[in-house]
């Protein structure tokens, strides 16, 4: 009866109801906390920085353990792909750096921007420099959020990381040696819709017996709307190359960087001299007979500069509209202008402009403010822009007289005046 009287009081009943409500709320909160704790414990945990895969979660490791990712990890220790040749040691070093820190199959940086990796090792300190994505390559993951997708440059389409396939080149830089081909390729790689092999494959002149599938495997992966490219300057002077490239695809677009043939020959000789200091003088190699002034056209340094002769061979397989001739001289004096012509020729938006270049007074030619895969300025290596030996003016004039009729024919064939006879 006493108990009944206590709780029959309205004030007591109100206190009891409040107590019950608070107790239920507390139990509900504890239950929700238990559920959240249990759920969080089952969620993927971040990968440690020492794994060198920053910004991804354990659930993503299934994708990262694919064959392509293993190959990428191998390149951090082995450098570039075997079986490729380089113009110089600097080219090999630069290509090795690109393949080590960029996905050689997609040309995309595989790290979330802004994260740092474990800096205990020298490789990780180097790696942190290459973690800035190149122009148009915004790296994302398919499952976590929109920022883990990749945006292709001018197309603006989002595609999952790792999409794309290896294709045979749709465009090639086929010549000429010592004309400025390396500079052109480095400049073009800034464009988000161009993916190019860093090293020279030499497929159509030295490795043709390996077959097209071998050649395809050397190419980087490309997404929809991107162009696959390669550069091998010796193709232009290789007799079999036009027929072989035409057999692969008659629609291949060809780019030839040409330069004053006299200056080109001296530059060619300078490169050989740096590797073989005991070779004969330039003058002795130039002439079959110095007294008569007969030029030795069997010497490759002289032969390469007879552009009209080599172009005749290419026109048997490709129309002139599929061949673009880039001036090596204007590539130095007006890189943005020449790159504009190349982008138009390839059917790409003019993304590479004046803002991408600065002129290096020491080297004497333009450099990139930001190279592909790097946030720092980039100039060509020490092997580019070597000081030429002094050649007797009479020898230079003899060569100009020799090349003049070939140059005039070349001007007529291309419809361009390069001004080498001035």
């Amino acid at each position: 009866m006493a108990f009944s009287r206590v709780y029959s009081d309205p004030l007591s009943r109100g206190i009891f109801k409040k107590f019950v409500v608070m107790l239920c709320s507390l139990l509900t909160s504890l239950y929700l906390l238990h559920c959240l704790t249990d759920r969080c414990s089952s969620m993927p945990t971040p990968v440690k920085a020492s794994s060198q895969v920053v910004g991804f979660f354990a659930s993503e490791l299934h994708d990262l353990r694919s064959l392509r990712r293993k190959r990428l990890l191998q390149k951090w220790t082995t450098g570039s792909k075997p079986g490729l040749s380089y113009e110089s040691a600097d080219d090999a070093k630069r290509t090795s750096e690109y393949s080590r820190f960029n996905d050689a199959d997609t040309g995309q940086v595989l790290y979330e921007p802004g994260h740092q990796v474990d800096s205990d090792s020298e490789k990780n300190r180097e790696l942190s420099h290459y973690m800035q994505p190149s122009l148009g390559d915004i790296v994302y993951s398919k499952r976590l959020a929109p920022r883990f997708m990749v945006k292709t440059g001018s197309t603006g389409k989002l595609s999952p990381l790792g999409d794309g396939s290896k294709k045979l080149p749709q465009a090639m830089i086929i010549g000429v040696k010592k004309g400025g081909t390396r500079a052109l390729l480095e400049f073009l790689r800034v464009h988000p819709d161009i993916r190019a092999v860093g090293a020279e494959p030499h497929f159509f002149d030295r490795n043709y017996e390996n077959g097209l599938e071998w050649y395809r495997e050397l190419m980087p992966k490309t997404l929809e709307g991107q162009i696959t490219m390669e550069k091998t300057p010796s193709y232009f002077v290789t007799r079999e190359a036009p027929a072989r490239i035409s057999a692969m695809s008659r629609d291949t677009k060809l780019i030839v960087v040409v330069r004053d043939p006299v200056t080109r020959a001296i530059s060619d000789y300078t490169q050989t001299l740096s590797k073989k200091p005991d070779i004969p003088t330039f003058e002795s190699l130039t002439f079959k007979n110095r007294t008569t002034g007969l030029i030795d056209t069997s010497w490759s340094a002289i032969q390469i500069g007879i552009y009209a002769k080599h172009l005749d061979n290419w026109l048997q397989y490709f129309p002139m509209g599929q061949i673009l001739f880039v001036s090596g001289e204007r590539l130095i004096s007006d890189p943005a202008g020449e790159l504009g012509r190349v982008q138009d020729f390839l059917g790409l938006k003019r993304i590479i402009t004046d803002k991408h270049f600065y002129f290096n007074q020491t080297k004497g030619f333009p450099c990139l403010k930001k190279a592909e895969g790097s946030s720092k300025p980039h100039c060509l290596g020490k092997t580019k822009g070597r000081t030429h030996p002094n050649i007797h003016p009479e020898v230079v004039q003899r060569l100009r007289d020799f090349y003049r009729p070939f140059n005039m024919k070349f001007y007529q064939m291309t419809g361009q005046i390069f001004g080498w006879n001035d």
Side-chain angles (χ1 to χ4, degrees):
M1 293 293 292
F3 183 84
S4 176
R5 282 197 301 272
V6 170
Y7 287 95
S8 65
D9 181 66
L11 180 62
S12 300
R13 287 199 301 273
I15 294 172
F16 178 77
K17 288 180 180 179
K18 289 182 180 180
F19 174 79
V20 171
V21 170
M22 291 175 63
L23 181 62
C24 290
S25 298
L26 178 62
L27 292 173
T28 303
S29 299
L30 289 173
Y31 176 76
L32 290 174
L33 181 63
H34 170 73
C35 292
L36 288 172
T37 305
D38 183 63
R39 182 177 179 181
C40 289
S41 65
S42 64
M43 288 179 68
T45 56
V47 181
K48 293 182 180 180
S50 59
S51 69
Q52 298 184 349
V53 185
V54 181
F56 291 92
F57 294 94
S59 62
E60 299 292 296
L61 287 180
H62 175 73
D63 298 329
L64 294 177
R65 285 170 181 161
S66 67
L67 177 60
R68 297 302 180 202
R69 301 301 175 261
K70 289 181 180 179
R71 287 175 60 190
L72 176 63
L73 294 174
Q74 289 172 356
K75 286 174 186 174
W76 290 346
T77 56
T78 60
S80 59
K81 296 181 181 180
L84 300 181
S85 59
Y86 299 86
E87 271 193 333
S88 65
D90 279 359
D91 292 345
K93 180 181 178 183
R94 178 169 56 257
T95 304
S96 177
E97 289 176 350
Y98 284 142
S99 62
R100 212 179 303 160
F101 304 121
N102 286 32
D103 187 342
D105 294 330
T106 64
Q108 300 156 0
V109 182
L110 297 180
Y111 308 93
E112 185 178 355
H115 283 273
Q116 297 296 321
V117 295
D118 187 355
S119 59
D120 289 341
S121 68
E122 183 62 25
K123 284 187 181 295
N124 288 343
R125 284 194 293 273
E126 293 177 5
L127 181 60
S128 64
H129 169 69
Y130 286 86
M131 289 176 68
Q132 294 297 325
S134 59
L135 180 63
D137 290 343
I138 308 171
V139 182
Y140 299 102
S141 162
K142 185 176 181 180
R143 298 179 203 157
L144 299 178
R147 63 195 184 95
F148 283 88
M149 300 286 286
V150 60
K151 181 178 180 181
T152 60
S154 60
T155 63
K157 295 181 179 179
L158 292 176
S159 299
L161 180 64
D163 275 4
S165 59
K166 294 187 175 186
K167 301 179 181 67
L168 294 170
Q170 295 103 333
M172 296 183 192
I173 301 174
I174 60 172
V176 297
K177 181 183 178 183
K178 308 310 296 179
T181 57
R182 172 55 61 184
L184 179 61
L185 184 68
E186 293 297 319
F187 296 162
L188 284 174
R189 288 173 70 155
V190 174
H191 200 293
D193 286 340
I194 292 177
R195 289 290 172 263
V197 183
E200 296 175 4
H202 282 280
F203 175 68
F204 294 102
D205 57 350
R206 302 178 190 172
N207 298 303
Y208 194 64
E209 67 281 357
N210 291 335
L212 285 175
E213 285 308 309
W214 177 89
Y215 184 47
R216 189 198 306 269
E217 281 302 306
L218 301 181
M219 299 300 121
K221 276 188 175 181
T222 51
L223 302 171
E224 181 184 354
Q226 292 182 320
I227 293 176
T228 304
M229 287 190 68
E230 72 116 312
K231 170 191 89 80
T232 305
S234 55
Y235 290 164
F236 188 62
V237 297
T238 301
R239 177 166 293 277
E240 299 81 11
R244 291 172 174 177
I245 295 174
S246 177
M248 177 189 73
S249 174
R250 293 182 179 179
D251 297 325
T252 306
K253 294 187 176 182
L254 309 171
I255 301 172
V256 188
V257 186
V258 290
R259 182 185 183 187
D260 182 338
V262 178
T263 309
R264 197 222 64 82
I266 296 172
S267 180
D268 198 336
Y269 173 80
T270 304
Q271 182 183 51
T272 305
L273 183 65
S274 68
K275 300 174 183 178
K276 301 176 182 178
D278 57 343
I279 62 171
T281 64
F282 181 84
E283 289 84 349
S284 61
L285 292 170
T286 298
F287 299 103
K288 282 185 177 180
N289 188 316
R290 180 65 184 271
T291 305
T292 61
L294 184 63
I295 303 294
D296 187 358
T297 56
S298 65
W299 184 30
S300 63
I302 300 295
Q303 189 182 65
I304 291 173
I306 309 176
Y307 303 139
K309 172 187 173 184
H310 304 302
L311 180 56
D312 267 334
N313 189 30
W314 285 90
L315 292 178
Q316 295 179 37
Y317 298 90
F318 292 93
M320 187 64 80
Q322 275 178 240
I323 309 175
L324 178 70
F325 294 92
V326 175
S327 168
E329 288 81 11
R330 286 196 291 271
L331 194 59
I332 295 174
S333 63
D334 181 20
E338 287 301 284
L339 265 293
R341 293 180 60 238
V342 176
Q343 290 171 95
D344 291 345
F345 175 70
L346 296 175
L348 299 175
K349 182 179 179 181
R350 285 198 177 196
I351 289 178
I352 308 172
T353 61
D354 284 321
K355 68 181 181 180
H356 290 92
F357 302 99
Y358 74 96
F359 193 82
N360 187 304
Q361 298 291 343
T362 304
K363 284 188 167 291
F365 36 76
C367 301
L368 288 169
K369 291 181 180 178
K370 289 184 180 181
E372 181 202 26
S374 173
S375 60
K376 292 186 176 181
H378 172 68
C379 285
L380 297 180
K382 295 178 181 179
T383 61
K384 306 300 179 182
R386 297 184 185 93
T387 302
H388 292 177
N390 291 323
I391 308 297
H392 195 283
E394 181 189 351
V395 177
V396 174
Q397 189 56 50
R398 289 280 186 92
L399 280 174
R400 293 206 178 282
D401 294 340
F402 167 77
Y403 280 120
R404 184 170 289 105
F406 297 109
N407 290 344
M408 295 304 294
K409 182 179 179 183
F410 184 66
Y411 295 172
Q412 292 173 356
M413 296 171 75
T414 61
Q416 293 178 241
I417 306 298
F418 293 93
W420 299 325
N421 296 329
D422 298 341

